[in-house]
């Protein structure tokens, strides 16, 4: 009895791992993972007007937080799908850096990628060729969403880096944080899932067709009936006129 090809289980496994990474990314800057931000900016103390001891500004999916010297989160904005952050360089109001909502609203795409990863992993289990075909298209949608999410992270990184240059008299080092690398990993896993899921329905159909041929007794009988006439031709029977004539001659010679 033939088994389901092991290659068909690789794609749902990759998608499920991508879903777990999406879950970790979706709780960005939460109580459990305060360091799971997408972009981080490190300042000279006192650069941010919100708190005097702020040395870091962390930008996550739902909010932005300020951290102190010991990298402990001091305060965060209210959690929203889109948030707005404004920095000022101390008493000089001319040095202002603003991160608008238009740059943080698109971070919600990460949740869409997480949900499509879960749905794709469920549909990609080798139960039915039609479900596998639907799972493949969901995997393609998941890959496109991962591309969009990672592109939004890059845009946010570039925006924060350009705005921090407006803070006169202070230096700010802008760099990707843990959430950025989680997003990159989801993008890579989504790409691998598309490659492993291509042709999965055809593989399943071939496997089931070979299984039916080995188990169907009618195929065996057809194969036997195809070879049996060749064996019968080697041995003459009474229905053959030459064989009947030879047998009569033998009988007459014996008499």
């Amino acid at each position: 009895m033939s088994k389901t090809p092991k290659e068909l289980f690789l794609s749902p496994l990759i998608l499920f791992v991508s879903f777990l990474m999406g879950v970790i990314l979706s709780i960005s800057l939460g109580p459990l993972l305060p360091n799971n931000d997408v972009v981080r900016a490190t300042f000279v103390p006192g650069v941010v007007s919100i708190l005097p001891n702020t040395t870091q500004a962390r930008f996550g999916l739902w909010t932005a937080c300020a951290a102190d010297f010991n990298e402990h989160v001091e305060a965060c904005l209210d959690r929203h799908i889109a948030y707005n952050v404004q920095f000022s360089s101390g008493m000089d109001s001319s040095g202002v850096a603003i991160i608008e909502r238009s740059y943080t609203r698109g971070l919600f795409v990460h949740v869409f990628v997480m949900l499509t990863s879960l749905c794709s992993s469920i549909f990609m289990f080798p139960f039915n060729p039609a479900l596998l075909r639907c799972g493949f298209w969901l995997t393609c949608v998941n890959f496109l969403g991962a591309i969009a999410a990672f592109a939004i992270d890059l845009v946010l990184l570039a925006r924060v880096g350009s705005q921090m240059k407006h803070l006169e008299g202070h230096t700010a080092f802008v760099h990707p944080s843990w959430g950025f690398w989680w997003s990159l990993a989801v993008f890579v896993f989504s790409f691998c899932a598309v490659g492993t899921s291509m042709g999965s329905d055809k593989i399943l159909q071939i496997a089931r067709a070979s299984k039916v041929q080995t188990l169907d007794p009618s195929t065996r009988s057809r194969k036997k009936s195809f070879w049996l006439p060749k064996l019968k031709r080697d041995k003459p029977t009474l229905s053959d006129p030459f064989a009947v004539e030879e047998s009569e001659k033998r009988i007459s010679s014996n008499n």
Side-chain angles (χ1 to χ4, degrees):
M1 185 175 182
S2 62
K3 297 181 180 180
T4 303
K6 296 180 180 180
E7 293 82 2
L8 297 180
F9 293 96
L10 183 60
S11 182
L13 179 61
I14 293 175
L15 289 168
F16 185 73
V17 174
S18 177
F19 164 73
L20 294 180
M21 291 188 294
V23 172
I24 296 175
L25 182 59
S26 64
I27 54 178
S28 173
L29 291 179
L32 298 178
L33 296 174
N35 295 325
N36 193 23
D37 48 332
V38 179
V39 179
R40 184 175 300 183
T42 303
F43 309 101
V44 174
V47 68
V48 181
S49 60
I50 301 176
L51 294 174
N53 294 327
T54 298
T55 59
Q56 285 184 354
R58 302 177 181 181
F59 302 88
L61 265 66
W62 316 107
T63 184
C65 297
D68 58 7
F69 297 96
N70 298 322
E71 296 189 356
H72 294 160
V73 176
E74 293 290 336
C76 294
L77 301 175
D78 295 335
R79 301 177 70 88
H80 296 289
I81 294 179
Y83 56 89
N84 187 21
V85 185
Q86 181 174 349
F87 304 93
S88 62
S89 54
M91 300 299 295
D92 187 7
S93 59
S94 60
V96 178
I98 302 175
I99 310 299
E100 296 86 352
R101 290 185 175 88
S102 58
Y103 292 92
T104 59
R105 184 178 291 108
L107 296 173
F108 180 75
V109 180
H110 287 286
V111 179
F112 172 78
V113 175
M114 177 190 67
L115 296 178
T116 52
S117 299
L118 178 62
C119 296
S120 301
S121 63
I122 294 174
F123 277 95
M124 285 303 297
F125 274 102
F127 296 139
N128 191 296
L131 293 179
L132 282 175
R133 198 172 294 111
C134 294
F136 170 72
W137 289 113
L138 281 176
T139 304
C140 294
V141 173
N142 175 68
F143 176 61
L144 295 177
I147 294 176
F150 187 66
I152 292 171
D153 294 342
L154 290 175
V155 171
L156 179 62
L157 178 64
R159 178 63 177 178
V160 173
S162 63
Q163 287 295 309
M164 294 308 161
K165 296 179 181 179
H166 297 167
L167 300 177
E168 300 176 356
H170 301 278
T171 57
F173 176 63
V174 180
H175 57 92
S177 189
W178 288 102
F180 184 89
W181 303 119
W182 283 116
S183 177
L184 178 60
V186 170
F187 167 72
V188 173
F189 271 68
S190 301
F191 175 76
C192 295
V194 172
T196 55
S197 61
M198 293 179 64
S200 298
D201 56 339
K202 295 182 180 179
I203 296 175
L204 183 61
Q205 289 176 355
I206 294 173
R208 289 188 174 183
S210 62
K211 177 180 176 181
V212 170
Q213 289 180 0
T214 54
L215 296 179
D216 191 2
S218 62
T219 57
R220 297 181 180 179
S221 62
R222 285 196 297 268
K223 289 182 179 180
K224 289 183 178 179
S225 62
F226 178 77
W227 292 104
L228 279 176
K230 290 187 177 182
L231 297 176
K232 290 181 179 180
R233 290 170 189 169
D234 296 336
K235 295 182 180 181
T237 58
L238 294 178
S239 60
D240 192 352
F242 296 101
V244 173
E245 183 178 356
E246 290 180 358
S247 61
E248 289 179 354
K249 288 181 180 180
R250 289 177 182 176
I251 293 173
S252 60
S253 62
N254 292 331
N255 294 333

